[in-house]
Amino acid sequence: MANQSSSSSSSSYPILCASFNQDASHFVIGTREGFKVFDSNTGRLCYERAIGAFIVVEMLFTSSLLAIVGAGEQPSLSPRRLCLFNITTGTALRELNFLTSILAVRMNKERLIVILQDKTYVYDINKVKILDAIDTVPNLKGLCGFSPSLDGCFLALPASITKGSVLLYNVMELQSHYAHRAPLAAIVLCSNGMYIATASEQGTIIRVHLVSDATKSYSFRRGTYPSTIFSLSFAPSMQIPDILVATSSSGSLHVFSLGFALNQRSRKFLGSIIPDSITDALDPAHRHVLHSAVTAGVKSNAVIRKVDKVADASTPGIASCKATISIITYNGYFQEYSFRLNYQNEPLWTLEHEFNLLSPVSDNASS
């Protein structure tokens, strides 16, 4: 799984930014009043701070460290200033100032990544020492993908504003790799850095690539009509992720079955000898759709928190896939769905939890 953070400065949303931590055990939101930290398993509000508007809030695993960026509605919360904040002590550990607004931040236990419109900075997070500065094409949305694993720690950035390509950068080795041909409405890397997924600008095609050799592994058709992709997330896995999830402006939740599709060797061979435009049309729909999962047009961020193999009662010896999918909507709600796919490729959706993020019940809140 790879965390996909989203931010929005639109006044129509009460939530300005939302992101899950690296293992999706917690999530954080930024509002016009401050920021909040929640437990993904229980929905419990763990911490809140009401000191002004924030457009970036990121949490480092289950530590007390947050990376926060203000919305600029008051001088002390400049969008050009990154604050490393300790929620245990309630104090700022370090502040970093930049020439232009900070659009996105990513972290793991060794690296801190700061995304600006035309430049990306890589820091040693423990020493807060700059290691590299990467010049990028204009990246107005702060689009990026990041795999937090130290063994396959890649950063994916837009490499062209006209051709739609992705630059892969190893943040541990400080080396650029190659660019994938792919439209850039959304980018995500799986947690171990083995696979990268990209969404077309029209939101109709999702492509999954193997990072090690840049070959096109598979394409999925999300739908026929254009739709803005809000988030992409791989399932957590040490090898091939079982599923990929996407949310879009249509309000639907899409789940793509990767394990089955990526292992179809005959299909991959067919894709290697005919043009992309034709293979896209021939791609089978290894996808399952929950319509009206969220309100159409409302921005959302979804992650696959866990995937389990469970025995199929109707067919002894056959296991089915069960996934827990969590969604944050920018109109202020958290939803958790259970998705089960049996051996006949039949889906079953269950809404397990739903609550309001703006007025939660707190057992342990601090302000």
Side-chain angles (χ1 to χ4, degrees), residues 30-321:
T31 68
R32 297 206 176 280
E33 289 71 42
F35 58 87
K36 300 180 180 183
V37 180
F38 294 86
D39 185 310
S40 298
N41 293 297
T42 63
R44 180 176 65 92
L45 175 62
C46 303
Y47 184 89
E48 65 177 333
R49 188 86 170 192
I51 53 175
F54 287 86
I55 54 170
V56 174
V57 185
E58 296 285 336
M59 183 177 186
L60 180 62
F61 288 95
T62 54
S63 74
S64 59
L65 182 66
L66 297 184
I68 56 177
V69 178
E73 295 184 357
Q74 53 219 74
S76 62
L77 296 177
S78 168
R80 299 186 299 275
R81 180 181 300 130
L82 170 65
C83 175
L84 297 179
F85 187 84
N86 187 314
I87 60 175
T88 300
T89 61
T91 58
L93 301 176
R94 284 289 298 272
E95 290 187 344
L96 298 171
N97 292 291
F98 299 89
L99 295 178
T100 60
S101 294
I102 300 164
L103 302 178
V105 175
R106 296 290 185 267
M107 297 183 288
N108 67 10
K109 293 178 181 178
E110 297 288 339
R111 295 290 184 261
L112 168 68
I113 314 297
V114 183
I115 312 290
L116 309 183
Q117 178 176 315
D118 300 300
K119 194 177 287 286
T120 293
Y121 293 94
V122 180
Y123 288 85
D124 180 319
I125 196 171
N126 297 300
K127 299 178 181 178
V128 196
K129 174 185 176 183
I130 189 167
L131 300 175
D132 202 359
I134 308 166
D135 291 319
T136 64
V137 299
N139 185 9
L140 301 179
K141 296 181 179 179
L143 194 61
C144 65
F146 185 64
S147 54
S149 169
L150 297 182
D151 295 326
C153 190
F154 290 97
L155 174 69
L157 295 167
S160 172
I161 57 175
T162 57
K163 297 181 180 179
S165 57
V166 181
L167 171 70
L168 278 175
Y169 182 88
N170 189 314
V171 301
M172 300 307 295
E173 300 174 1
L174 305 178
Q175 292 180 348
S176 297
H177 284 242
Y178 48 79
H180 283 276
R181 284 182 57 249
L184 297 182
I187 313 171
V188 69
L189 281 149
C190 66
S191 58
N192 60 17
M194 290 179 63
Y195 286 90
I196 181 173
T198 57
S200 68
E201 293 171 346
Q202 295 297 313
T204 54
I205 299 294
I206 308 293
R207 287 191 171 92
V208 178
H209 305 264
L210 183 64
V211 165
S212 60
D213 60 11
T215 60
K216 174 185 168 186
S217 295
Y218 213 76
S219 293
F220 299 89
R221 185 170 292 281
R222 183 209 58 82
T224 303
Y225 298 102
S227 184
T228 301
I229 301 295
F230 288 142
S231 69
L232 290 172
S233 174
F234 281 106
S237 174
M238 295 304 294
Q239 297 298 323
I240 297 176
D242 294 288
I243 57 176
L244 173 74
V245 68
T247 60
S248 70
S249 56
S250 70
S252 298
L253 179 64
H254 292 257
V255 171
F256 304 94
S257 303
L258 295 181
F260 176 69
L262 293 176
N263 282 316
Q264 282 191 310
R265 294 184 180 181
S266 61
R267 177 60 187 80
K268 292 173 77 175
F269 175 74
L270 176 65
S272 69
I273 60 176
I274 56 181
D276 285 353
S277 60
I278 299 177
T279 61
D280 288 342
L282 293 177
D283 281 342
H286 296 293
R287 67 184 178 97
H288 308 277
V289 184
L290 177 63
H291 296 286
S292 303
V294 300
T295 304
V298 173
K299 199 168 185 178
S300 58
N301 187 3
V303 298
I304 306 166
R305 291 184 44 229
K306 62 180 180 178
V307 175
D308 298 310
K309 294 293 192 301
V310 295
D312 194 312
S314 62
T315 310
I318 300 295
S320 61
C321 171

